[in-house]
Amino acid sequence: MAKKTIADVDPKGKVVLMRVDFNVPQDDSGAITDDRRIRMAMPSIESVVKRGGKLILMSHLGRPKGNGPEPKYTLAPTAKRLGELLQQDVAFASDTVGADAETKVASLQEGEVLVLENVRFNEGEKTGDAGFAAKLAGWADIYCNDAFGTCHRTDASMLAVPLAMGSKDKVVGFLVAKEIQYLSDTISAPERPFVAILGGAKVSDKINVINNLLGICDKVLIGGAMAYTFSLARGGKVGKSLVELDKVELAKELIAKGGDKLVLPVDTHCGDAFSGNCNKQVVAAGHIPDGWEGFDIGPETAQQYAELLHSAKTVVWNGPMGVFEMPPFDSGTKRVAKAIADSSATSIIGGGDSAAAIEQLGFADQVTHVSTGGGASLSMLEGERFQAVDVLDDK
Ligand code: AMP
């Protein structure tokens, strides 16, 4: 069922406690190198500010130990950057639930924003401490979750805090609403044919995704180094390609379960060293010579996959088809990305490397949805339910 969003509540004069994902990359001097995560939360933030809400933002940054402040992980630079984006002063509290936060929360006026210090400086964030959660929830009239990247977790700010809100409003932000719409709603009632294309380094990372998607898709196309473990399972020769020997049995089971739904590469672009300048050859899948390594799907596979993607009505893509960071072994990934961009299907790009690839290739605005979460988007594709979202109000 759809969740209530921040647009469904009136924040005027009320305190809104919003969990965002300001876990931005920084350089050694602490300067933010990519503010995308802050920009992505802007629609929800602006929606509260413009309607006269008093907004408290909380987030984690990095992996501090949880026993007090660590300057390297302070959220102070994110508050400054948010102020620039909003073009208004943004207050910053040097603690999360301490005296400074308390004073600044009490003085918040309508349309003002306060960023609390990193929630993970407090042990209670990871332990889900009820006292820590009650303090945060006690300040707020409305709780909003717009931190998709953390939705698969049960940290206090994600779960104990909304639970501590009791009967007060608990809603999703626009970012989380959109992710759920595509990664869960569209996938559970897809227009067919529904084709998933999965790549990346390891079968072990994607077993649950493959299993879940085999249950709901019409075709699941496999690429990346993952394909060589499947090739071994079919008795193929993979040279010195990256494989997971302990996952060969599992690959056999997935092949048996998938039948014609599971589509494996028919050819492989290989090299004799891990370099774009190595000697190269294209061979039939399962015939990689000794001393050679598969680095990409071959051209015939790329063509077949592109055709299957063209005729699809719903497409999900997660994981590159080869070592896309090292041309010319980016060509399979490029071909697939272009086919998805050219198709009229509802196209959903899982987070992580496939999202990076589609952005890098300039196709991001030709697909329906590029997920912002790595682990969270994989968990959704695994069909997992998120407790942090389940506890929020239904429409
Ligand atoms: P993942 O994080 O599982 O989606 O894997 C992405 C990584 O898999 C990228 O860094 C790719 O370079 C790598 N990868 C994909 N195909 C291959 C391959 N054939 N051999 C080695 N690495 C690969």
Coordinates of all heavy atoms in Angstrom, one line a residue, residues 25 42 77 97 159 179 217 230 273 285 328 372:
P25 N 30.4 12.1 0.0 CA 31.9 11.9 -0.1 C 32.6 13.2 0.2 O 32.2 14.3 -0.2 CB 32.1 11.4 -1.5 CG 30.9 11.8 -2.3 CD 29.8 12.0 -1.3
M42 N 16.4 17.9 -1.5 CA 15.9 19.2 -1.5 C 14.4 19.3 -1.7 O 13.8 20.2 -1.1 CB 16.6 20.1 -2.6 CG 18.1 20.4 -2.3 SD 18.3 21.3 -0.8 CE 17.8 22.9 -1.4
P77 N 29.9 20.5 7.5 CA 30.0 21.0 6.1 C 28.7 20.8 5.3 O 28.4 21.5 4.4 CB 31.1 20.1 5.5 CG 31.9 19.6 6.7 CD 30.9 19.5 7.8
V97 N 21.4 15.0 20.6 CA 20.3 15.1 21.5 C 20.7 15.9 22.8 O 20.1 15.8 23.8 CB 19.7 13.7 21.9 CG1 19.0 13.1 20.8 CG2 20.8 12.8 22.4
L159 N 14.0 3.5 12.7 CA 13.0 2.6 13.2 C 12.5 3.0 14.6 O 11.3 3.2 14.8 CB 13.4 1.2 13.2 CG 12.4 0.2 13.5 CD1 11.2 0.2 12.5 CD2 13.0 -1.3 13.4
E179 N 11.5 5.9 -4.9 CA 12.2 4.7 -4.9 C 11.2 3.5 -4.7 O 11.3 2.5 -5.4 CB 13.3 4.6 -3.8 CG 14.4 5.7 -4.0 CD 15.4 5.2 -5.0 OE1 15.3 4.1 -5.6 OE2 16.5 5.9 -5.1
C217 N 10.1 -12.2 -13.3 CA 10.4 -11.7 -14.6 C 10.1 -12.7 -15.7 O 10.0 -13.9 -15.4 CB 11.9 -11.4 -14.7 SG 12.4 -10.0 -13.8
F230 N 28.5 -19.3 -13.7 CA 27.4 -20.0 -14.4 C 28.0 -20.9 -15.5 O 27.6 -22.0 -15.7 CB 26.4 -19.1 -15.0 CG 25.4 -18.5 -14.0 CD1 25.6 -17.3 -13.4 CD2 24.4 -19.3 -13.5 CE1 24.7 -16.8 -12.5 CE2 23.5 -18.8 -12.6 CZ 23.7 -17.5 -12.0
A273 N 45.7 -10.1 -20.0 CA 46.2 -9.4 -18.8 C 45.1 -8.3 -18.4 O 44.4 -7.9 -19.3 CB 47.5 -8.7 -19.1
A285 N 31.2 -18.6 -25.5 CA 31.1 -18.8 -24.0 C 31.5 -20.2 -23.6 O 31.2 -21.1 -24.4 CB 29.7 -18.4 -23.6
P328 N 38.7 -1.3 -23.9 CA 37.4 -1.4 -24.6 C 36.4 -2.4 -24.0 O 35.4 -2.7 -24.6 CB 37.8 -2.0 -26.0 CG 39.0 -2.9 -25.6 CD 39.7 -2.2 -24.5
T372 N 19.0 5.6 -6.1 CA 20.0 6.3 -5.4 C 20.7 5.4 -4.3 O 21.7 5.8 -3.7 CB 19.5 7.6 -4.6 OG1 18.4 7.1 -3.7 CG2 18.9 8.6 -5.6

